[in-house]
Amino acid sequence: RYDMEPIYRDGHYKKCRDSLHDIITNCKGFESSSLSYMYTYGCGWCNNVDVSDLDLRTDDEFYSSCNNLSSFREYIRKYPSGKHRTEANLNIMILQYKSCKTIADFQKFIKDFPNSNLLPRAQAALDNLIHIENDRKARIARQDNAIVACKTIDDVIALFNKEKANSIDISKCSTRAFELASCKGDYQRIVTIFGSSSTGGVKAKAKLDEIRKKGINKIKWILGISIPLLIIIIVFLIWGI
């Protein structure tokens, strides 16, 4: 029977590790070596005992296997007083800093490591991202006001061409253009300029399809009336002669 006490399970003592190794390798019914790829750390199933989570690595062995943020954090969790605790925490700090991409990331780093020597760099990066975000919000507000102020489709198109380089919202422009459209030509321009996949473009395309269907139905109606009349005229002319 396996002793599953933490101090034994984690393999702190070589004597325990060697004993467990002998038990596993000499046990009757041990799995074939061809299945060794299924054993996480050289362990197998014995007498239906699940030992898949058995980690026999020592403090040094576990630390030497760490190569990313999650593995260093797992080392600290597993060995909170381990001999490599200082180095592991340093690596966690560096890797967490390198993984920062957003405002929230840098804010979390500053909160987690208030005494880090990387704090000035993190704060500078955070300030820059906040400045960029504020500029983005101000630009969007200015563009939104300009879109609402457009009175004709030409106004919307001119604004879109002017602000395209500043990432103006094509969805908002195409929607405003559709709101101002009044004829088939307007809808065609919306699809051409803003694309059939834009919000306004989808609506304009649907409107064009509706106009086309109405045109076809009108032609059918005309033909439905004119053909019988034509037949009557032809018959009249023939009989008249």
Side-chain angles (χ1 to χ4, degrees):
R1 180 180 178 181
Y2 291 110
D3 183 351
M4 299 306 286
E5 290 297 319
I7 196 167
Y8 189 111
R9 183 190 62 212
D10 296 339
H12 283 216
Y13 300 110
K14 187 175 187 301
K15 182 178 179 180
C16 295
R17 288 157 54 78
D18 291 342
S19 297
L20 182 58
H21 181 270
D22 290 340
I23 291 171
I24 293 175
T25 55
N26 297 324
C27 178
K28 181 180 179 181
F30 182 63
E31 300 288 356
S32 167
S33 60
S34 65
L35 300 177
S36 61
Y37 71 93
M38 300 174 69
Y39 313 150
T40 307
Y41 300 112
C43 301
W45 291 272
C46 177
N47 295 326
N48 296 320
V49 177
D50 182 7
V51 294
S52 61
D53 64 342
L54 206 63
D55 190 345
L56 301 181
R57 291 177 295 176
T58 62
D59 183 315
D60 290 333
E61 290 171 338
F62 197 109
Y63 180 77
S64 65
S65 70
C66 295
N67 57 9
N68 55 44
L69 191 55
S70 61
S71 61
F72 282 112
R73 283 174 173 163
E74 179 62 17
Y75 171 83
I76 293 296
R77 187 195 68 78
K78 195 172 185 63
Y79 298 99
S81 301
K83 64 174 72 174
H84 301 286
R85 187 174 188 278
T86 301
E87 303 98 298
N89 279 324
L90 179 62
N91 278 293
I92 289 172
M93 179 187 70
I94 293 172
L95 291 172
Q96 185 167 326
Y97 173 78
K98 289 181 176 180
S99 68
C100 290
K101 304 295 182 185
T102 67
I103 290 176
D105 291 340
F106 282 107
Q107 287 175 333
K108 187 176 188 307
F109 176 84
I110 291 171
K111 180 181 178 181
D112 291 346
F113 304 97
N115 300 317
S116 169
N117 60 347
L118 295 172
L119 187 62
R121 295 169 63 181
Q123 187 63 57
L126 174 61
D127 292 341
N128 183 57
L129 287 176
I130 290 175
H131 177 71
I132 292 173
E133 178 63 12
N134 288 338
D135 283 350
R136 186 187 70 84
K137 289 179 178 179
R139 171 179 55 78
I140 291 175
R142 173 179 58 79
Q143 291 174 340
D144 287 350
N145 290 334
I147 291 172
V148 173
C150 291
K151 302 299 181 183
T152 66
I153 287 185
D154 288 333
D155 291 342
V156 179
I157 294 173
L159 175 64
F160 176 71
N161 290 331
K162 178 183 177 182
E163 294 288 335
K164 189 186 300 183
N166 293 323
S167 304
I168 192 169
D169 194 324
I170 189 173
S171 176
K172 293 177 181 178
C173 288
S174 62
T175 299
R176 180 58 177 163
F178 179 79
E179 292 172 351
L180 298 169
S182 59
C183 64
K184 180 179 179 181
D186 290 342
Y187 300 129
Q188 289 174 332
R189 291 176 69 192
I190 292 172
V191 172
T192 300
I193 294 171
F194 301 108
S196 59
S197 61
S198 65
T199 303
V202 170
K203 294 179 180 179
K205 189 174 182 301
K207 198 70 176 178
L208 287 170
D209 290 340
E210 181 183 331
I211 292 172
R212 181 180 59 81
K213 289 178 181 179
K214 285 182 178 179
I216 292 174
N217 290 336
K218 186 175 181 180
I219 292 173
K220 288 181 178 180
W221 182 81
I222 293 172
L223 290 176
I225 294 176
S226 60
I227 290 177
L229 285 175
L230 183 61
I231 293 174
I232 292 173
I233 292 172
I234 293 173
V235 171
F236 176 80
L237 289 174
I238 292 175
W239 282 98
I241 292 173

